[in-house]
Amino acid sequence: MPGRGAAYDRSVSTEQTGTDGTAPASGPAPRPVDVDRSDPVYRNWLKEAVRRVQADANRSADTHLLLFPLPEHWGIDLYLKDESTHPTGSLKHRLARSLFLYGLCNGWIRPGKPVIEASSGSTAVSEAYFAKLIGVPFIAVMPRTTSAEKTRLIEFHGGRCHLVDDPQTVYEVSARLAEETGGHYMDQFTYAERATDWRGNNNIAESIYQQLRLERYPEPTWIVAAAGTGGTSATIARYVHYMQYDTRICVPDPENSCFFDGWVDRDADATSDCGSRIEGIGRPRMEPSFVPGAIDRMMKVPDAASIAAVRELETALGRRAGGSTGTGLWSALRIVAEMVDAGHTGSVVTLLCDPGERYLDKYYSDAWLAGQGLDIAPYTTTLRTFLRTGTWPR
């Protein structure tokens, strides 16, 4: 279908015809003073595209809030918001839906033109799903180290993978492909914090509080949300402030990510020399959607600790999850340990971001751990000691 077709570009100028309808005097044609680019064909396509994206949200049940088993006498409840139950299997389904609605309503996404995204995998999986839903091509620009399962899922949803050797080039390659194809570079790292309605509209924060309303501690002491774009932590923090809750927000950061250093040093230009091994979180630069002033606390989490935590999650709940879930769980359990030590009661919430089946060749592979030089045994001991005794080893 045509986008801004010439048939719908109607220009009118009284200077061109004269007030009496006679031809104008010779000379250069004046600029029109009234230009109408209405395009009924495009607007019909746009209405149907928005309807399809909104219908996906309407028919998708809200995600579950899982209770992590802790000793009852601690008086503390730990929950995981299970975002792996979205149609595309991850927290990024929410983001992709918001980005598509934002791009469509801004007039950036056009029929027949590709949507292009820089991604470490899960966002691209979800965006490929929505691109297929509205019938536009999709290209994912990703590091070559992205898990094979994520690549398969992108292609399953009709997307095409453009792999790069240097993770730091994904931005410029995505922008170049958009220019070459006439498509739209979605740019999740810029628009994640503004595409979602942080005041409500069943965003992830509002959903958490609605699901906690019948629990014994309905207002959590802490919510822990790791940062990839930073959009999720920004949405949750803004909602908490807007609703005047006392909940505090903690953002854990993996190795090879600059967010922690940039936040601690208040350095908006902080960078990291290499990409994160924990897919979906951590970035080599301070992304525009990361909002440092909205969050209360950050933790630097060793990658081995993230993987130890996500393997312990399988022991506790019988569920496999990705490495980013482990980063959040490690930090949440550290906060629980502080509360136990101080004699405080309350609740803590973190996120189950995506399924572990996407990472069987990484975080659940002992061979991969050995190749990366990661020893999770000390961190596993720390977690098991804490869950057994209530004391966090120092």
Side-chain angles (χ1 to χ4, degrees), residues 153-170:
L153 288 169
I154 292 166
E155 293 173 346
F156 171 79
H157 290 299
R160 178 165 68 86
C161 299
H162 185 104
L163 303 179
V164 298
D165 294 315
D166 182 357
Q168 298 192 54
T169 65
V170 293

Side-chain angles (χ1 to χ4, degrees), residues 47-65:
K47 287 193 293 184
E48 176 62 13
V50 171
R51 185 198 67 77
R52 291 185 182 191
V53 175
Q54 290 179 331
D56 172 85
N58 192 54
R59 65 175 171 264
S60 299
D62 207 354
T63 59
H64 300 155
L65 201 60

Side-chain angles (χ1 to χ4, degrees), residues 99-120:
L99 288 168
F100 265 82
L101 287 173
Y102 193 70
L104 285 164
C105 294
N106 283 337
W108 296 342
I109 299 174
R110 293 278 168 165
K113 299 295 185 181
V115 169
I116 295 132
E117 183 63 285
S119 173
S120 62

Side-chain angles (χ1 to χ4, degrees), residues 323-345:
S324 58
T325 299
T327 307
L329 181 58
W330 174 270
S331 298
L333 286 169
R334 275 194 56 189
I335 289 172
V336 170
E338 294 170 0
M339 294 171 67
V340 171
D341 187 58
H344 295 162
T345 58

Side-chain angles (χ1 to χ4, degrees), residues 24-361:
S26 60
R31 286 178 62 82
V33 294
D34 184 351
V35 178
D36 183 352
R37 287 181 174 160
S38 300
D39 186 340
V41 177
Y42 162 68
R43 286 296 291 272
N44 286 336
W45 177 88
L46 176 61
K47 287 193 293 184
E48 176 62 13
V50 171
R51 185 198 67 77
R52 291 185 182 191
V53 175
Q54 290 179 331
D56 172 85
N58 192 54
R59 65 175 171 264
S60 299
D62 207 354
T63 59
H64 300 155
L65 201 60
L66 307 179
L67 187 63
F68 187 94
L70 297 176
E72 180 68 24
H73 67 273
W74 288 4
I76 299 171
D77 295 328
L78 174 59
Y79 302 91
L80 289 97
K81 179 70 166 163
D82 185 5
E83 295 292 284
S84 72
T85 57
H86 282 295
T88 54
S90 82
L91 169 67
K92 300 300 185 180
H93 193 86
R94 292 182 189 269
L95 172 59
R97 182 192 297 130
S98 294
L99 288 168
F100 265 82
L101 287 173
Y102 193 70
L104 285 164
C105 294
N106 283 337
W108 296 342
I109 299 174
R110 293 278 168 165
K113 299 295 185 181
V115 169
I116 295 132
E117 183 63 285
S119 173
S120 62
S122 286
T123 302
V125 173
S126 298
E127 289 184 2
Y129 168 91
F130 283 105
K132 184 177 182 180
L133 192 68
I134 67 172
V136 297
F138 178 75
I139 303 171
V141 180
M142 305 186 301
R144 198 172 298 277
T145 55
T146 301
S147 72
E149 178 62 10
K150 285 184 179 177
T151 300
R152 185 192 71 78
L153 288 169
I154 292 166
E155 293 173 346
F156 171 79
H157 290 299
R160 178 165 68 86
C161 299
H162 185 104
L163 303 179
V164 298
D165 294 315
D166 182 357
Q168 298 192 54
T169 65
V170 293
Y171 315 97
E172 60 188 80
V173 172
S174 297
R176 176 175 55 79
L177 286 174
E179 184 175 356
E180 291 174 355
T181 62
H184 170 54
Y185 172 26
M186 192 72 91
D187 195 2
Q188 59 168 320
F189 299 106
T190 294
Y191 296 108
E193 57 86 14
R194 67 194 72 169
T196 298
D197 182 359
W198 50 265
R199 295 172 185 84
N201 197 22
N202 197 36
N203 65 35
I204 189 170
E206 184 177 55
S207 175
I208 288 170
Y209 281 89
Q210 285 295 316
Q211 290 175 311
L212 284 173
R213 71 187 187 280
L214 299 180
E215 301 296 310
R216 60 175 175 170
Y217 307 115
E219 184 176 330
T221 305
W222 286 92
I223 296 178
V224 180
T229 62
T232 299
S233 60
T235 296
I236 294 173
R238 287 165 168 170
Y239 181 82
V240 164
H241 301 158
Y242 181 68
M243 297 299 293
Q244 304 166 56
Y245 292 129
D246 292 325
T247 304
R248 287 172 287 174
I249 310 302
C250 175
V251 174
D253 203 33
E255 296 176 23
N256 304 328
S257 174
C258 71
F259 285 149
F260 180 84
D261 291 336
W263 185 79
V264 169
D265 299 333
R266 302 181 187 275
D267 180 7
D269 298 318
T271 60
S272 175
D273 292 336
C274 54
S276 171
R277 285 181 293 200
I278 306 299
E279 289 189 23
I281 60 172
R283 300 301 303 167
R285 70 176 191 183
M286 296 290 281
E287 301 293 353
S289 282
F290 179 65
V291 184
I295 60 180
D296 300 287
R297 177 178 182 176
M298 289 197 71
M299 291 188 194
K300 198 69 176 177
V301 179
D303 290 349
S306 297
I307 298 166
V310 82
R311 290 192 176 192
E312 284 304 299
L313 175 67
E314 183 178 13
T315 300
L317 293 182
R319 297 286 299 276
R320 283 181 170 175
S324 58
T325 299
T327 307
L329 181 58
W330 174 270
S331 298
L333 286 169
R334 275 194 56 189
I335 289 172
V336 170
E338 294 170 0
M339 294 171 67
V340 171
D341 187 58
H344 295 162
T345 58
S347 60
V348 178
V349 179
T350 188
L351 308 179
L352 198 164
C353 303
D354 62 358
E357 285 70 25
R358 296 182 177 182
Y359 308 98
L360 297 180
D361 59 342

